[in-house]
Amino acid sequence: MATLDKTALVIGATGSVGGEVAAALLAHGWRVRGLHRDPARAAREAVGLEAIEWVKGDAMSAAEVTAAALGAELIVHAASPPGYRNWAGLAMPMLEASIAAAKATGARILFPGNVYNYGPDAFPMMAEDAPQNPSTRKGAIRVAMEQRLESAGVRTLVVRAGDFFGPVSASSFLTEGLVAKDKPLKSVAYPGPREIRHCWAYLPDLAETMARLADIEATLPDQAAYQFGGHQVTGDEMIAALEGVAGRRLTVKRFPWLALRALGPFVEMLRELAEMRYLWDNTVLLDNARLVKTLGAEPQTPLETALRTALQGQGCLPLDQKAAA
């Protein structure tokens, strides 16, 4: 792909979303900087991102993010507290630092969004202008973040997607809920009615989508928003795809919602997962018509191929496995 002679600063490049977006931007010819408090450690540990220029800085510091963003056309704000820890206390200050940097440099902020913004009044299929009346704490924070971006006076690009999964994904419901991370794929704990469709976002596809939009960002509205449709499949279809990957029938178990709720007061990650039950009890899908009109098509890896790659990366399948005997 031709070099664009453009620079992107990625906040959260060592995370699952930020890392995939950084890799996609590099493949599209962007120069990519990664902000990290320990650049030397990031350079050692970020496999596949050797071409990144690592810059020392704290995502909570407006001055340090601004310094790192000098000369950049794009700031990818993929910073997220790991394991949902202290979202309320960290999410908005980190966003304010990126906004300050965008104001100082004129860069556009690329913000990976999700379905948390929406409540039952917007279900089952949401376009970009669907009402945002969330029923959860995380949803309220997400709405506040997008509202702040809209009022900040900077150029933005929001791309919303469903449940993330990929070969590197620390908090995916796929490997934190449906199957057991770092254990052989033998069973599935499905979280909701199996006839209901659910919205999944394979991270390499989502990152490629963001990179394609970033390539044409100068032609987009100053406040641009798109929905990534992803794989919109029923529980039965997801289980069948997992069985295709495993090459055998899998035991299907009931998801332990009651246990999550009981342990939630003591384990923050479990409490936050339990709050997401409504996404499994209802059809919650994203309308990608605007995205398809803009790009011509939405990148989509076949589901079994995406699941196989993701589960190999998460230690559930051997790296050389195509199908079990």
Side-chain angles (χ1 to χ4, degrees):
M1 193 164 293
T3 300
L4 297 171
D5 195 31
K6 289 186 177 181
T7 299
L9 171 67
V10 180
I11 314 295
T14 56
S16 52
V17 178
E20 290 287 359
V21 176
L25 289 171
L26 287 168
H28 278 239
W30 287 71
R31 293 188 297 268
V32 177
R33 296 178 193 147
L35 187 79
H36 200 278
R37 283 177 287 187
D38 187 345
R41 180 164 67 87
R44 289 194 307 269
E45 297 178 359
V47 178
L49 298 177
E50 290 79 11
I52 283 185
E53 175 194 355
W54 292 100
V55 180
K56 185 177 179 60
D58 189 327
M60 296 280 284
S61 168
E64 292 178 8
V65 175
T66 298
L70 292 176
E73 286 81 12
L74 187 71
I75 298 172
V76 181
H77 185 84
S80 184
Y84 297 113
R85 288 192 293 273
N86 193 20
W87 258 37
L90 297 175
M92 195 61 79
M94 287 193 292
L95 183 64
E96 290 292 350
S98 289
I99 288 172
K103 286 183 175 180
T105 63
R108 185 189 289 267
I109 295 177
L110 169 56
F111 183 73
N114 56 38
V115 298
Y116 297 172
N117 303 50
Y118 302 112
D121 61 331
F123 298 165
M125 178 71 78
M126 288 87 67
E128 290 81 2
D129 58 355
Q132 296 191 11
N133 299 305
S135 56
T136 65
R137 295 184 301 274
K138 289 191 294 300
I141 293 169
R142 280 288 178 170
V143 170
M145 294 175 78
E146 287 199 21
Q147 289 176 341
R148 178 65 186 113
L149 283 172
E150 188 174 352
S151 67
V154 298
R155 295 182 304 125
T156 61
L157 170 57
V158 177
V159 183
R160 304 188 193 102
D163 256 317
F164 301 156
F165 74 101
V168 180
S169 185
S171 58
S172 169
F173 215 107
L174 176 66
T175 49
E176 297 291 339
L178 272 68
V179 304
K181 186 176 181 179
D182 293 322
K183 294 183 179 180
L185 177 59
K186 295 181 178 179
S187 64
V188 182
Y190 200 76
R194 288 167 55 175
E195 71 276 9
I196 289 178
R197 285 195 293 162
H198 190 75
C199 193
W200 294 94
Y202 181 50
L203 283 174
D205 289 342
L206 177 60
E208 172 63 19
T209 298
M210 292 179 177
R212 292 184 191 181
L213 289 169
D215 287 349
I216 60 170
E217 68 84 17
T219 71
L220 301 179
D222 286 349
Q223 301 286 320
Y226 297 91
Q227 313 279 55
F228 177 85
H231 294 284
Q232 302 183 359
V233 296
T234 66
D236 284 331
E237 289 168 338
M238 174 57 82
I239 292 167
L242 287 167
E243 289 180 336
V245 169
R248 63 174 70 89
R249 294 294 297 272
L250 299 174
T251 301
V252 181
K253 302 182 291 186
R254 182 176 297 178
F255 190 81
W257 286 115
L258 291 177
L260 260 66
R261 192 168 298 278
L263 295 172
F266 311 102
V267 182
E268 189 169 13
M269 177 69 170
L270 297 182
R271 184 188 73 228
E272 298 301 329
L273 285 175
E275 191 182 50
M276 295 296 100
R277 184 170 185 173
Y278 76 102
L279 294 175
W280 298 95
D281 290 339
N282 298 277
T283 300
V284 184
L285 306 175
L286 294 170
D287 182 349
N288 70 348
R290 180 188 293 177
L291 177 67
V292 171
K293 183 178 180 180
T294 301
L295 294 181
E298 178 185 287
Q300 187 170 108
T301 302
L303 181 58
E304 283 196 23
T305 303
L307 288 171
R308 180 174 291 110
T309 304
L311 293 176
Q312 286 174 337
Q314 298 290 319
C316 302
L317 292 173
L319 291 177
D320 60 350
Q321 179 173 333
K322 293 184 178 179

